[in-house]
Amino acid sequence: MYAADTVEISQGVQGTGRSRGISIGREFYSQAYVRPKDGKYVWKSPSTVGKWSYGRNLEGVIWGRT
């Protein structure tokens, strides 16, 4: 079984972006947001902070970046 937990932090014009993805077998969970220094969210996925997006990889293809 394949499992991974990845986090990416980036700095952009609108603020700091953070994203996290967790893969366990064919199950995938993710959340991401962009927030400037004033603390107000510019963008969120999913739209509620603290919630997770869910997906299932039916193709069985694992992809990533190193």
Side-chain angles (χ1 to χ4, degrees):
M1 175 183 282
Y2 173 84
D5 186 344
T6 59
V7 175
E8 183 175 342
I9 300 171
S10 60
Q11 187 63 45
V13 176
Q14 292 185 316
T16 301
R18 296 177 185 262
S19 64
R20 183 176 182 192
I22 299 173
S23 296
I24 304 169
R26 292 184 177 192
E27 313 298 314
F28 181 75
Y29 304 87
S30 66
Q31 57 182 206
Y33 64 82
V34 174
R35 188 169 62 180
K37 290 181 181 180
D38 68 7
K40 296 179 183 177
Y41 291 92
V42 176
W43 178 83
K44 298 176 279 194
S45 176
S47 60
T48 303
V49 174
K51 299 289 183 182
W52 291 83
S53 294
Y54 167 78
R56 178 173 260 190
N57 183 349
L58 297 177
E59 296 294 323
V61 177
I62 303 301
W63 58 271
R65 183 174 68 187
T66 58

